[in-house]
């Protein structure tokens, strides 16, 4: 497993990391034992960064992680969770709720500190409140040693760009962007030079585009337009017919970018972890890649609205 330094955090994160939103049932209900086994298998295989949120399964993901992690030595994993989002339409970025939320997450996961806490989906916030309340609350927790590093997450790149660009939030050490660095959409590359210049770590989540770049296809709630879903389906079919696999290709494609330190993927079963680990060792099929990029070109960089920002 290759490890990269996550910007100012100085944390050495595995290039493939464990996304725990499926533990909250985002991709269908699963057996809890299988989920816990997948966490253990991932850590045993050298995956050291785990990302979750109180939002995932309305605390379910953190509760399952608590059960999984109690038998793992604390120095074997880097734990990231979030504050600010507590339901599909339930947001609270206030100072007091932020402090409370971190303490609740620690309790649920049976931990005494968190490596990374990120402000979850800033496009739904009043950015001014993030700067004047959420981040100061996180800085207080950081000064107390309860959390080690601070970041922000969001879909619209403009929201991240705005916070990073202004000198009002130098405490941001890493960002998590999702669905913006894969075969169908690589718009994240537009803000990478700025992040690099400021030594802000880059976590690329959902390179399977929240299930769209899988043979199984996206979950019902997926917000992409029918046109985007259709093209991804076509690309998946093409790969299958030519002896390839769209999920494999998506991982190999995203790994080509040396300026992204870790790629987060939801892996609620051991089979997913094994498959993705195997892919890390295999070279990309350049011809298949080019054809798939051509299939996806009509919807290239097309995304969907989220919160108060356009993409
Ligand atoms: P994803 O794109 O990682 O897709 C997950 C789905 O792909 C699951 O159904 C999983 O079973 C399946 N899968 C995984 N490996 C596979 C393989 N090799 N072959 C076939 N199917 C495979 O979507 P995600 O889980 O939503 O995103 C990854 C993680 O990123 C999340 O779990 C979460 O931790 C994080 N994330 C954060 C935000 C945010 O902060 N706003 C948003 C999205 C995702």
């Amino acid at each position: 497993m290759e490890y990269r330094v996550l910007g100012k955090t100085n944390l050495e994160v595995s290039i493939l990391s464990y996304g725990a939103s499926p533990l909250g049932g985002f991709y269908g209900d699963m057996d809890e034992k299988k989920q816990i086994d997948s966490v253990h298998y991932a850590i045993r295989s050298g995956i050291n960064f785990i990302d979750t949120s109180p939002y995932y399964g309305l605390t379910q993901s953190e509760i399952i992680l608590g059960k999984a992690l109690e038998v793992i030595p604390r120095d074997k994993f880097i734990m990231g969770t979030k504050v600010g989002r507590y339901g599909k339409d339930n947001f609270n970025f206030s100072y007091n709720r932020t402090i409370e939320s971190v303490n609740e997450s620690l309790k649920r996961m049976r931990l005494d500190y968190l490596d990374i806490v990120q402000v979850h989906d800033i496009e739904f916030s009043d950015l001014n409140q993030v700067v004047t309340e959420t981040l100061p609350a996180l800085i207080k927790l950081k000064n107390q040693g309860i959390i080690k590093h601070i970041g922000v997450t969001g879909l619209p790149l403009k929201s991240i760009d705005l916070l990073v660009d202004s000198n009002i939030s130098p405490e941001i050490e890493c960002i998590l962007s999702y669905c913006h660095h894969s075969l169908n959409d690589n718009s994240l590359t537009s803000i990478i030079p700025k992040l690099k210049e400021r030594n802000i770590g880059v976590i690329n989540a959902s390179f399977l585009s929240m299930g769209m770049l899988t043979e199984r296809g996206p979950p019902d709630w997926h917000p992409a337009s029918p046109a985007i879903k259709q093209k991804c389906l076509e690309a998946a079919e093409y790969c299958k017919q030519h002896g390839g696999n769209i999920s494999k290709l998506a991982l190999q494609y995203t790994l080509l970018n040396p300026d992204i330190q870790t790629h987060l993927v939801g892996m609620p079963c051991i089979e997913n972890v094994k498959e993705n680990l195997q892919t890390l060792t295999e070279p990309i099929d350049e011809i298949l890649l080019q054809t798939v990029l051509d299939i996806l070109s009509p919807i290239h960089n097309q995304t969907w609205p989220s919160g108060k920002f356009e993409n």
Side-chain angles (χ1 to χ4, degrees), residues 18-22 26-27 30 51-52 56 82 85 118 120-121 123 153-155 176 178-179 204-216 221 245 247-248 264-269 271-273 275-276 279:
Y18 187 96
S21 76
F26 272 50
Y27 295 87
M30 284 198 72
D51 173 76
T52 187
Y56 301 154
K82 312 195 187 82
R85 184 163 205 175
Q118 299 193 280
H120 199 166
D121 292 344
E123 68 268 29
T153 87
L155 181 74
L176 181 158
Y178 70 101
C179 293
N204 172 41
S206 307
F207 57 81
L208 300 179
S209 292
M210 299 193 302
M212 269 199 305
L213 300 175
T214 62
E215 287 182 357
R216 182 180 162 194
W221 51 260
N245 176 286
S247 304
K248 216 178 244 292
L264 254 181
V265 56
M267 301 181 281
C269 56
E271 291 71 26
N272 284 166
V273 187
E275 174 91 32
N276 293 327
T279 301

Side-chain angles (χ1 to χ4, degrees), residues 112-171:
D112 51 15
Y113 71 92
L114 293 162
D115 301 279
I116 303 176
V117 175
Q118 299 193 280
V119 187
H120 199 166
D121 292 344
I122 51 171
E123 68 268 29
F124 291 94
S125 74
D126 165 0
L127 281 190
N128 194 39
Q129 189 183 26
V130 170
V131 172
T132 58
E133 294 194 47
T134 331
L135 291 173
L138 293 180
I139 292 165
K140 183 177 181 194
L141 294 166
K142 187 177 170 185
N143 290 338
Q144 292 172 341
I146 295 171
I147 74 174
K148 304 294 181 193
H149 304 286
I150 296 172
V152 296
T153 87
L155 181 74
L157 292 169
K158 260 192 197 156
S159 62
I160 294 178
D161 191 45
L162 207 79
L163 260 195
V164 166
D165 205 24
S166 55
N167 279 329
I168 45 178
S169 43
E171 52 277 3

Side-chain angles (χ1 to χ4, degrees), residues 5-9 118 150-152 160-161 163-166 169-176 191-203 259-261:
V5 177
L6 184 64
K8 291 181 199 174
T9 71
Q118 299 193 280
I150 296 172
V152 296
I160 294 178
D161 191 45
L163 260 195
V164 166
D165 205 24
S166 55
S169 43
E171 52 277 3
I172 296 172
E173 296 162 271
C174 58
I175 64 104
L176 181 158
I191 64 164
I192 283 185
K194 194 180 283 178
L195 298 169
K196 207 172 162 182
E197 188 191 313
R198 288 161 172 73
N199 195 22
I200 292 174
V202 184
I203 301 167
D259 295 322
I260 294 174
Q261 287 85 46

